Amino acid sequence: MRHPLIRTALAFVLCAACGGGSSTTGSTTPLDTGGDDGTSGDTAATPTPAEPPSAEETARFAEASNAFATDLWGRIRGTDGNLVVSPASIEIALAMTHAGARGETAAEMAEVMHFGDDPDAFHRAAGHALSRWNDPDRETYRLAVANRLFGERSYEWREPFLRLTGEVYGAPLEPMDFRGAPEPARQRINGWVEDQTNDRIQDLIPQGGIDGDTRMVLANAVYFLADWQHQFAASDTHEQPFHAPGGDVRVETMHQQARFGYGEADDVQVLQMPYAGGELGMLVVLPREDDGLAAVEEALSAERIAGWAEGLEQQMVNVALPKFRVEPEAPLALSSTLAEMGMPSAFDPRTADFSAMADPAANEGLPLFVTDVFHKAFVAVDEEGTEAAAATAVVVGVESAAIAPPDVPEFVADHPFLFFIRDLESGAILFMGRVEDPSA
């Protein structure tokens, strides 16, 4: 049986509640209550963009998502220890939310998300990316992205909003009794997240994250499973020191010599290791100095990441990479962070305008605003199991350091580093993280 080399899961939830303010009018549609049990199933609709995006639009989607990624990282990098997020997934979830926004709220969100002047083009490109990532015929790796709307069952939601989120993002609407049973609703949503992420993300929405005032939860979940294209041999894994901020620790470290994309800059070494199929890869950025990660993070930008990737050359590299696992117990609460990034209106009941999501006059006469944003991710990296180890037994023979030519570069990740799991076609960053201590 194949042992996974990397398992990554991500879930994002945005909760919208009602608040005081003026009302607007417009066409609405009642919530489809699905089955008699009040559920609508667990299979998300396949995104069907109205028209395929141009190559320029696809590139713009990746650029926007990556720019948001580094903006967000600049705000959260002060979090202690190992860290992982999925910026592309958060961008997509916010894009669904933006579809329900109007006025200054929509403008602020578009600015933070780097939409540019044409949000419709972004939606088309995002839908195209989702369709490609969710390719049902793929055999080399698993990447599944699911979206869902959980809406108060007594509410009427605007049909254009439901149509866009359904057709472009594959997000069906499921009725919930937030008013009468908020805790069972929270458990249902957390259960959906667990199902979509192979049980890797649990308790995404904490106690109290949903209450009787909640009216909508927009959820996104991602699950990724892949083997390296050039696999590590378990027999070449052994303990060695890792220079963590709190002092040296001994960690299980994988070794191999193979042909990878490799590059150097004044302050970093860069390694790109493709996954099976060659469509996705992990970019590992290793500061030259043991304590150089903070300076690299401070200067991080989408342009710099793109420059690292574009400057890679395929060559033989001796790699030493620690096995690591990042599994936070609590979700990141991002409401304040997103507000500080430039979209405060969405979180203020006095200024929020989500009238394209629901007509206040047709419901309670109260406008919606965002109350909470929860984000949680999981990453585990190790070598392959028995089947893959047997396949790399041949490689072991050519990995011997004793026969390596003198000009083969050494990439020894024995101190804190960054990693980026990227879509190699578009350049979009699916996951990004920091490993300060693999033993933590």
Side-chain angles (χ1 to χ4, degrees):
M1 182 178 72
R2 182 175 66 87
H3 288 217
L5 241 170
I6 178 163
R7 293 184 293 270
T8 308
L10 175 281
F12 172 92
V13 166
L14 183 149
C15 301
C18 59
S22 60
S23 64
T24 60
T25 60
S27 62
T28 61
T29 185
L31 181 61
D32 181 0
T33 56
D36 294 337
D37 62 353
T39 65
S40 57
D42 287 326
T43 303
T46 301
T48 54
E51 59 183 277
S54 65
E56 181 182 353
E57 287 174 346
T58 301
R60 198 186 318 157
F61 163 73
E63 292 170 359
S65 180
N66 292 353
F68 171 79
T70 52
D71 289 348
L72 177 66
W73 194 263
R75 297 281 181 173
I76 66 174
R77 67 184 181 88
T79 305
D80 292 336
N82 302 331
L83 183 63
V84 60
V85 295
S86 176
S89 184
I90 298 174
E91 177 94 344
I92 287 171
L94 287 176
M96 291 196 299
T97 310
H98 176 273
R102 288 293 181 266
E104 187 65 22
T105 301
E108 289 178 356
M109 295 183 71
E111 181 72 19
V112 170
M113 297 160 64
H114 298 270
F115 268 4
D117 298 330
D118 189 356
D120 289 339
F122 180 92
H123 290 308
R124 287 196 300 272
H128 174 73
L130 284 170
S131 297
R132 191 165 59 83
W133 293 341
N134 283 322
D135 181 0
D137 298 325
R138 183 188 300 114
E139 297 179 353
T140 50
Y141 65 92
R142 181 180 173 189
L143 177 59
V145 185
N147 297 309
R148 175 154 293 202
L149 310 180
F150 298 89
E152 166 57 41
R153 66 185 185 184
S154 64
Y155 247 53
E156 294 183 357
W157 303 96
R158 290 192 187 272
E159 198 210 329
F161 167 73
L162 298 182
R163 186 169 57 249
L164 188 152
T165 52
E167 293 180 356
V168 175
Y169 295 98
L173 181 63
E174 179 173 334
M176 307 297 292
D177 184 11
F178 290 124
R179 282 172 162 166
E183 179 56 21
R186 183 183 75 90
Q187 294 175 6
R188 161 60 191 154
I189 298 169
N190 281 348
W192 178 85
V193 169
E194 291 173 17
D195 289 343
Q196 300 301 319
T197 61
N198 201 29
D199 294 328
R200 291 302 181 186
I201 301 298
Q202 299 185 6
D203 299 321
L204 174 66
I205 304 178
Q207 288 276 355
I210 286 177
D211 59 26
D213 289 331
T214 300
R215 295 294 176 264
M216 170 72 80
V217 172
L218 300 94
N220 172 278
V222 178
Y223 183 74
F224 174 55
L225 174 66
D227 289 330
W228 303 116
Q229 192 173 81
H230 301 289
Q231 300 169 338
F232 292 86
S235 59
D236 288 337
T237 296
H238 55 80
E239 281 194 356
Q240 68 182 58
F242 186 93
H243 309 303
D248 286 2
V249 295
R250 295 192 65 81
V251 299
E252 291 288 310
T253 303
M254 308 178 294
H255 298 81
Q256 71 163 302
Q257 181 191 110
R259 181 172 289 275
F260 293 117
Y262 178 78
E264 298 182 355
D266 290 341
D267 55 346
V268 296
Q269 292 177 277
V270 182
L271 179 76
Q272 181 161 281
M273 299 184 296
Y275 294 105
E279 297 175 356
L280 302 179
M282 176 182 282
L283 191 75
V284 185
V285 179
L286 180 69
R288 291 191 179 275
E289 302 296 330
D290 289 356
D291 60 353
L293 182 59
V296 173
E297 287 183 289
E298 186 174 359
L300 194 65
S301 68
E303 293 77 15
R304 194 167 193 218
I305 296 170
W308 287 330
E310 291 168 2
L312 298 173
E313 295 184 2
Q314 293 294 316
Q315 57 184 298
M316 295 299 291
V317 186
N318 279 326
V319 177
L321 181 71
K323 296 164 63 173
F324 64 87
R325 184 184 183 99
V326 183
E327 190 173 16
E329 293 185 7
L332 288 172
L334 294 177
S335 298
S336 297
T337 300
L338 292 169
E340 292 168 359
M341 287 173 65
M343 46 179 284
S345 294
F347 302 94
D348 189 335
R350 299 166 300 181
T351 58
D353 184 354
F354 289 100
S355 56
M357 188 179 295
D359 175 12
N363 294 287
E364 304 167 284
L366 300 173
L368 298 170
F369 70 102
V370 179
T371 59
D372 293 289
V373 176
F374 300 111
H375 179 85
K376 196 174 185 181
F378 164 92
V379 174
V381 175
D382 54 32
E383 69 278 77
E384 70 283 355
T386 302
E387 183 177 319
T392 59
V394 174
V395 179
V396 171
V398 299
E399 288 175 353
S400 171
I403 63 172
D407 58 344
V408 172
E410 300 280 338
F411 188 93
V412 181
D414 63 355
H415 55 276
F417 58 87
L418 296 174
F419 67 89
F420 306 86
I421 298 176
R422 302 167 57 247
D423 175 357
L424 300 184
E425 178 178 314
S426 68
I429 299 169
L430 298 176
F431 300 88
M432 64 186 296
R434 173 183 70 211
V435 178
E436 287 192 345
D437 183 351
S439 69

